Amino acid sequence: MSDDGQPEPGHGYRQGPVLLRGGQIPTSTSDQRLLNRTDDTDWLHGDPWRVMRIQSEFVEGFGALAEVGPAVSVFGSARTRAGSPEYELATDVAARLVEAGYAVITGGGPGIMEAANKGAKTAGGVSIGLGIELPFEHGMNDFVDLGVNFRYFFARKTMFVKYSEGFVVLPGGFGTLDELFEALTLVQTQKVVQFPIVLVGRAHWRGLLDWLNATLLEQGLISGSDVELVKLVDTAEEAVTEVIRRGVELRGVELAAGDELARAAQEAEASSGGDR
């Protein structure tokens, strides 16, 4: 029996803190209902309450993760089988991140997520899972020590970005690509301070990077610096080394920018004092 009362992963449906089974399982998700467009005006009465529910997800997420400390998110496919090379690679990545002083955050599900949580837990680190309400519920994997379940993708994504100092991305499908490009877009548009984004597995990711260079960059749809936001590696050791190296580099840039702003403020203050 798991801590959330499920006999085994995959039995039951999580809707925020509520566990549903049998006829109680809804036919649509909270995101579906939020984004559904209808001709009636019932949403006028339902949406204000939905806003309160969304607010509660942010409050619960912030409260649960605020004191976690330095952390890195590990993304990858939920379909990866235990014992596969990619599964073992994710386990190794997470263990090395813990040894480097990081907590490990995943989506809390099976596959690569389970592997990373396993690696973090086995290494004695903080193993975090941020689950999501989906039509086919997998349940939080058994290696998560701190888990938060979300109804809404956007609330969950905010937690990944707010509490991670880097992203390590292993082979995955649409969900993994969504998380990768969300991170890249936020960095490119300077909505967040830059953080390391490391792709693990040259054979898997090379085609995507070739397309970015040969199509998007060639057509002027992105810049050369945009492509350089990601680092491509093959091994767990390379991935963690790059997270540490890039993190130190970016913190140095941030500190230098802060010092420059402080000097500029002092010079402006001195100048205004002289004018008086």
Side-chain angles (χ1 to χ4, degrees):
M1 182 70 71
S2 65
D3 291 339
D4 58 8
Q6 297 188 57
E8 60 185 81
H11 287 201
Y13 183 87
R14 277 286 177 186
Q15 193 174 66
V18 179
L19 174 66
L20 302 172
R21 289 185 177 143
Q24 295 297 314
I25 297 176
T27 57
S28 62
T29 67
S30 296
D31 273 319
Q32 256 183 324
R33 294 188 290 277
L34 172 65
L35 299 174
N36 183 42
R37 295 189 61 179
T38 60
D39 293 329
D40 59 46
T41 58
D42 287 347
W43 63 270
L44 284 171
H45 308 289
D47 275 9
W49 288 104
R50 184 173 287 129
V51 169
M52 299 296 290
R53 179 182 292 163
I54 292 169
Q55 178 179 313
S56 74
E57 291 212 341
F58 281 105
V59 170
E60 289 170 3
F62 292 156
L65 301 174
E67 298 180 355
V68 163
V72 171
S73 287
V74 179
F75 298 128
S77 176
R79 304 185 186 192
T80 301
R81 294 186 179 277
S84 67
E86 292 81 9
Y87 187 99
E88 298 302 325
L89 180 59
T91 303
D92 192 12
V93 166
R96 290 175 181 271
L97 286 170
V98 167
E99 291 168 3
Y102 294 102
V104 172
I105 304 175
T106 79
I112 294 294
M113 294 174 282
E114 176 187 288
N117 287 130
K118 178 181 178 181
K121 185 179 180 71
T122 303
V126 180
S127 177
I128 302 166
L130 305 182
I132 185 68
E133 172 192 335
L134 292 173
F136 301 100
E137 177 69 23
H138 293 289
M140 200 73 74
N141 71 66
D142 292 336
F143 301 101
V144 170
D145 290 327
L146 171 57
V148 185
N149 280 295
F150 293 89
R151 297 171 186 263
Y152 300 102
F153 265 117
F154 55 83
R156 179 184 186 234
K157 286 180 175 181
T158 299
M159 302 303 151
F160 278 124
V161 174
K162 180 172 176 60
Y163 293 105
S164 297
E165 294 190 4
F167 287 175
V168 176
V169 189
L170 285 94
F174 285 166
T176 303
L177 291 173
D178 176 54
E179 288 152 346
L180 168 62
F181 279 102
E182 169 123 6
L184 287 172
T185 301
L186 289 172
V187 173
Q188 182 207 45
T189 56
Q190 298 181 24
K191 286 293 185 181
V192 297
V193 176
Q194 283 197 37
F195 44 68
I197 302 173
V198 183
L199 305 182
V200 188
R202 284 186 171 86
H204 181 83
W205 295 110
R206 175 50 66 188
L208 174 63
L209 294 184
D210 287 345
W211 178 76
L212 291 177
N213 280 287
T215 303
L216 299 190
L217 182 59
E218 183 69 23
Q219 294 179 14
L221 303 177
I222 60 174
S223 65
S225 60
D226 295 332
V227 180
E228 294 172 2
L229 293 174
V230 296
K231 177 70 174 181
L232 183 60
V233 303
D234 264 329
T235 69
E237 182 180 8
E238 290 175 312
V240 177
T241 297
E242 179 59 23
V243 167
I244 296 170
R245 183 199 68 79
R246 184 63 172 151
V248 169
E249 179 182 294
L250 291 172
R251 281 192 292 275
V253 171
E254 192 175 344
L255 288 172
D259 291 342
E260 182 61 31
L261 285 173
R263 281 195 296 271
Q266 289 175 350
E267 290 173 1
E269 184 178 353
S271 176
S272 62
D275 292 341
R276 290 196 297 271

